[in-house]
mmCIF file of all heavy atoms in Angstrom:
data_model
loop_
_atom_site.group_PDB
_atom_site.id
_atom_site.type_symbol
_atom_site.label_atom_id
_atom_site.label_comp_id
_atom_site.label_asym_id
_atom_site.label_seq_id
_atom_site.Cartn_x
_atom_site.Cartn_y
_atom_site.Cartn_z
ATOM 1 N N SER A 474 45.162 -10.925 11.743
ATOM 2 C CA SER A 474 45.058 -10.413 10.380
ATOM 3 C C SER A 474 44.624 -11.563 9.475
ATOM 4 O O SER A 474 44.692 -12.744 9.863
ATOM 5 C CB SER A 474 46.385 -9.842 9.922
ATOM 6 O OG SER A 474 47.319 -10.920 9.712
ATOM 7 N N PRO A 475 44.233 -11.281 8.237
ATOM 8 C CA PRO A 475 43.927 -12.379 7.312
ATOM 9 C C PRO A 475 45.082 -13.376 7.181
ATOM 10 O O PRO A 475 44.863 -14.576 7.094
ATOM 11 C CB PRO A 475 43.626 -11.672 6.002
ATOM 12 C CG PRO A 475 43.100 -10.329 6.408
ATOM 13 C CD PRO A 475 43.889 -9.984 7.634
ATOM 14 N N ARG A 476 46.309 -12.841 7.192
ATOM 15 C CA ARG A 476 47.472 -13.741 7.106
ATOM 16 C C ARG A 476 47.553 -14.582 8.372
ATOM 17 O O ARG A 476 47.827 -15.806 8.297
ATOM 18 C CB ARG A 476 48.747 -12.924 6.931
ATOM 19 C CG ARG A 476 49.966 -13.807 6.723
ATOM 20 C CD ARG A 476 51.134 -13.061 6.141
ATOM 21 N NE ARG A 476 51.649 -11.990 7.006
ATOM 22 C CZ ARG A 476 52.872 -11.498 6.879
ATOM 23 N NH1 ARG A 476 53.684 -11.916 5.921
ATOM 24 N NH2 ARG A 476 53.287 -10.533 7.709
ATOM 25 N N ALA A 477 47.316 -13.996 9.544
ATOM 26 C CA ALA A 477 47.357 -14.744 10.789
ATOM 27 C C ALA A 477 46.230 -15.759 10.875
ATOM 28 O O ALA A 477 46.386 -16.824 11.490
ATOM 29 C CB ALA A 477 47.297 -13.800 11.979
ATOM 30 N N VAL A 478 45.088 -15.453 10.269
ATOM 31 C CA VAL A 478 43.993 -16.441 10.207
ATOM 32 C C VAL A 478 44.506 -17.649 9.428
ATOM 33 O O VAL A 478 44.227 -18.813 9.794
ATOM 34 C CB VAL A 478 42.724 -15.840 9.573
ATOM 35 C CG1 VAL A 478 41.710 -16.925 9.250
ATOM 36 C CG2 VAL A 478 42.118 -14.800 10.500
ATOM 37 N N GLY A 479 45.239 -17.425 8.336
ATOM 38 C CA GLY A 479 45.817 -18.529 7.580
ATOM 39 C C GLY A 479 46.796 -19.342 8.398
ATOM 40 O O GLY A 479 46.792 -20.592 8.354
ATOM 41 N N TRP A 480 47.634 -18.660 9.176
ATOM 42 C CA TRP A 480 48.565 -19.383 10.078
ATOM 43 C C TRP A 480 47.786 -20.238 11.069
ATOM 44 O O TRP A 480 48.197 -21.347 11.385
ATOM 45 C CB TRP A 480 49.431 -18.401 10.832
ATOM 46 C CG TRP A 480 50.317 -17.539 9.995
ATOM 47 C CD1 TRP A 480 50.752 -17.789 8.714
ATOM 48 C CD2 TRP A 480 50.904 -16.288 10.383
ATOM 49 N NE1 TRP A 480 51.542 -16.780 8.283
ATOM 50 C CE2 TRP A 480 51.684 -15.846 9.275
ATOM 51 C CE3 TRP A 480 50.865 -15.525 11.535
ATOM 52 C CZ2 TRP A 480 52.395 -14.638 9.312
ATOM 53 C CZ3 TRP A 480 51.563 -14.347 11.591
ATOM 54 C CH2 TRP A 480 52.332 -13.905 10.480
ATOM 55 N N THR A 481 46.679 -19.678 11.560
ATOM 56 C CA THR A 481 45.884 -20.409 12.544
ATOM 57 C C THR A 481 45.276 -21.664 11.920
ATOM 58 O O THR A 481 45.259 -22.734 12.549
ATOM 59 C CB THR A 481 44.765 -19.516 13.103
ATOM 60 O OG1 THR A 481 45.359 -18.314 13.644
ATOM 61 C CG2 THR A 481 43.972 -20.218 14.159
ATOM 62 N N ARG A 482 44.811 -21.554 10.696
ATOM 63 C CA ARG A 482 44.263 -22.716 9.994
ATOM 64 C C ARG A 482 45.346 -23.792 9.846
ATOM 65 O O ARG A 482 45.089 -24.992 10.025
ATOM 66 C CB ARG A 482 43.703 -22.315 8.639
ATOM 67 C CG ARG A 482 42.425 -21.484 8.702
ATOM 68 C CD ARG A 482 41.764 -21.410 7.319
ATOM 69 N NE ARG A 482 40.505 -20.668 7.402
ATOM 70 C CZ ARG A 482 40.340 -19.439 6.963
ATOM 71 N NH1 ARG A 482 41.378 -18.760 6.444
ATOM 72 N NH2 ARG A 482 39.178 -18.848 7.081
ATOM 73 N N GLU A 483 46.545 -23.361 9.504
ATOM 74 C CA GLU A 483 47.648 -24.314 9.363
ATOM 75 C C GLU A 483 47.934 -25.018 10.692
ATOM 76 O O GLU A 483 48.144 -26.225 10.737
ATOM 77 C CB GLU A 483 48.918 -23.602 8.870
ATOM 78 C CG GLU A 483 48.815 -23.041 7.451
ATOM 79 C CD GLU A 483 49.982 -22.158 7.099
ATOM 80 O OE1 GLU A 483 50.901 -21.988 7.954
ATOM 81 O OE2 GLU A 483 50.007 -21.605 5.985
ATOM 82 N N PHE A 484 47.934 -24.256 11.781
ATOM 83 C CA PHE A 484 48.195 -24.819 13.108
ATOM 84 C C PHE A 484 47.107 -25.824 13.487
ATOM 85 O O PHE A 484 47.419 -26.916 13.999
ATOM 86 C CB PHE A 484 48.260 -23.688 14.130
ATOM 87 C CG PHE A 484 48.380 -24.139 15.540
ATOM 88 C CD1 PHE A 484 49.584 -24.598 16.049
ATOM 89 C CD2 PHE A 484 47.289 -24.073 16.406
ATOM 90 C CE1 PHE A 484 49.689 -25.017 17.384
ATOM 91 C CE2 PHE A 484 47.386 -24.479 17.722
ATOM 92 C CZ PHE A 484 48.610 -24.954 18.219
#
Side-chain angles (χ1 to χ4, degrees):
S474 71
R476 185 162 65 159
V478 169
W480 299 338
T481 304
R482 289 193 177 104
E483 294 171 0
F484 174 76

